[in-house]
Amino acid sequence: MIRSALSFFASIFIFAATTFATEPFTVFEGKDASTPKQPQACLSSDGAVHITFGVGDQVFYCKVKDDKCSAPQPAFRVPNMSLGMRRGPRIAHSGASITITAIGGTQGKGRDGDILAYRSHDLGKNWLGPVKVNDVDGSGREGLHAMTSGDDGALWCVWLDLREKGTVLYASKSMDHGETWSKNILVYRSPDGSICECCHPSIIASDNTVQVLFRNSLKGDRDMYLITSLDQGKSFGEARRLGRTNWHLNACPMDGGMLAVIGRGEFNTVWRRDRTILSSGTKPGAETLLGTGEQPWTSASADGFFTVWTTKRDGDLQMLKPGSTQIETLSENSSYPVVVSSSDANSSAYVLWEKRGPEGYSIVGQLIQ
């Protein structure tokens, strides 16, 4: 069974914002082969929230704006789409266009996989593509990537790349809303031969600066590293380890963290080390303990950062609001949360996550004010 509960979501908008902020809404639910997975979202300059997620090989899209919400519709199909464990479609808004990327291939099961970009110039009614982002066939087959839009409208994509013997970090840039992509840019190659093989990277771009967060693999340590370009991705500086101590682990935790920035100033990263969720700014060696759990995500607002995570892979969804030290629980039986907000607007955000229920799994969201 597949059904959308967006009529419920739309009805909440009729009431006061404070009422809406206390009630979650169901975007889509299904079970078995129709299970929705891996929600992602972005904000456009008009305040609309653009949402994507995967169902099997189908990529879905919908939009939330003021008191209107579009029903999720299949946007396009990606054969053998990578989906789950932070694998899945990514979405960004630039100019009047929406771009969604996803990874898939004709064989699947890790034998092949390319980053495929689709774009819409009419708010999701029609989709153009695919355009391949990685310029070596099959090098995106690990299925983990991230995408963002910069202040200048440029799109940036970063991914775990397998064109070499080990896992390497590559990126590409598009100046035409995903219609064409630049020659792939080497972001980082581990001196030990491979970065962490199954942790998703994250990326943000502002002015000439591009910053990438990823989990490295050095001498048995699986720590988070930040690497920066100050010349629009032409070159990247030295990768810098985050936090005060190492995490020695002979495995991949499959947990990549997230980063956000308020304008050109305040900066925030969140990541996991063992069973703790930590955050830091730009100061080397600094870290702040947020709580216990995994799969953290953060987003910048006018008043600071919203941060979410779950207590375990399928556990309680936790949230910290800007300027607060009080952890709030939003939901039970939840996983893979994301949060989006605007640093140019008031301090509100949308949180989206997967939720397990008696009828299967659903994509759920909530407006936080």
Side-chain angles (χ1 to χ4, degrees):
M1 177 186 70
I2 305 175
R3 68 183 178 91
S4 170
L6 287 170
S7 58
F8 168 71
F9 170 38
S11 68
I12 294 178
F13 273 115
I14 298 174
F15 300 100
T18 53
T19 303
F20 175 76
T22 63
E23 297 292 337
F25 58 89
T26 300
V27 175
F28 193 96
E29 65 179 341
K31 61 181 180 180
D32 302 325
S34 300
T35 298
K37 295 181 179 181
Q38 303 298 300
Q40 289 285 321
C42 67
L43 279 169
S44 52
S45 57
D46 63 354
V49 182
H50 303 272
I51 300 170
T52 190
F53 55 91
V55 179
D57 286 351
Q58 292 277 358
V59 173
F60 278 71
Y61 165 80
C62 64
K63 185 186 77 166
V64 177
K65 179 67 167 67
D66 298 329
D67 59 348
K68 297 179 181 179
C69 183
S70 63
Q73 297 293 329
F76 49 87
R77 179 177 176 271
V78 174
N80 298 303
M81 179 167 60
S82 297
L83 192 62
M85 305 296 288
R86 289 295 190 194
R87 296 174 176 90
R90 298 294 189 265
I91 188 168
H93 186 279
S94 60
S97 300
I98 304 158
T99 302
I100 297 178
T101 52
I103 298 178
T106 56
Q107 300 180 72
K109 299 186 182 301
R111 292 187 290 266
D112 64 353
D114 295 312
I115 305 165
L116 304 174
Y118 292 77
R119 62 197 185 281
S120 175
H121 305 305
D122 55 10
L123 297 178
K125 296 177 182 177
N126 297 283
W127 294 89
L128 302 172
V131 175
K132 188 158 69 75
V133 178
N134 52 298
D135 55 20
V136 174
D137 290 345
S139 66
R141 61 186 179 275
E142 180 54 45
L144 290 161
H145 76 298
M147 184 172 57
T148 191
S149 59
D151 298 336
D152 58 357
L155 296 176
W156 283 92
C157 185
V158 65
W159 65 94
L160 302 193
D161 192 279
L162 295 175
R163 69 185 66 191
E164 303 178 12
K165 184 177 180 180
T167 304
V168 182
L169 201 61
Y170 268 87
S172 184
K173 178 182 180 180
S174 174
M175 292 300 299
D176 51 15
H177 317 297
E179 183 175 355
T180 61
W181 292 82
S182 71
K183 177 180 173 59
N184 293 174
I185 304 162
L186 175 64
V187 177
Y188 180 83
R189 180 188 288 114
S190 171
D192 280 10
S194 179
I195 63 173
C196 200
E197 302 85 356
C198 301
C199 289
H200 71 91
S202 300
I203 186 169
I204 55 173
S206 177
D207 296 326
N208 293 324
T209 303
V210 181
Q211 300 188 84
V212 178
L213 179 70
F214 68 99
R215 192 177 295 278
N216 211 344
S217 178
L218 290 173
K219 300 178 181 179
D221 295 329
R222 303 286 179 136
D223 299 315
M224 298 303 298
Y225 277 68
L226 183 69
I227 190 166
T228 302
S229 170
L230 301 175
D231 55 10
Q232 297 185 336
K234 295 177 183 177
S235 62
F236 281 84
E238 183 179 355
R240 176 170 60 85
R241 194 198 75 185
L242 300 183
R244 299 193 186 103
T245 61
N246 298 106
W247 186 13
H248 197 75
L249 181 69
N250 187 28
C252 177
M254 308 186 84
D255 201 333
M258 188 57 180
L259 70 170
V261 64
I262 299 177
R264 303 177 184 179
E266 191 176 358
F267 182 80
N268 189 45
T269 60
V270 294
W271 77 97
R272 169 189 170 195
R273 185 176 65 224
D274 199 4
R275 291 296 302 154
T276 59
I277 302 298
L278 301 158
S279 72
S280 70
T282 58
K283 186 177 180 180
E287 65 178 42
T288 300
L289 174 64
L290 301 184
T292 301
E294 57 187 80
Q295 301 299 326
W297 209 267
T298 189
S299 182
S301 74
D303 295 329
F305 299 96
F306 287 89
T307 301
V308 295
W309 68 92
T310 54
T311 54
K312 56 184 179 178
R313 191 59 53 90
D314 186 6
D316 293 342
L317 173 57
Q318 311 279 269
M319 179 186 67
L320 272 175
K321 291 180 181 178
S324 175
T325 58
Q326 181 67 42
I327 297 175
E328 301 179 35
T329 298
L330 298 183
S331 175
E332 300 176 341
N333 303 322
S334 303
S335 53
Y336 303 110
V338 298
V339 56
V340 291
S341 55
S342 173
S343 60
D344 298 325
N346 57 12
S347 192
S348 62
Y350 281 89
V351 182
L352 294 155
W353 65 93
E354 294 180 18
K355 182 174 176 61
R356 175 175 55 85
E359 298 299 321
Y361 279 82
S362 56
I363 300 297
V364 180
Q366 188 171 8
L367 171 64
I368 307 298
Q369 290 188 322

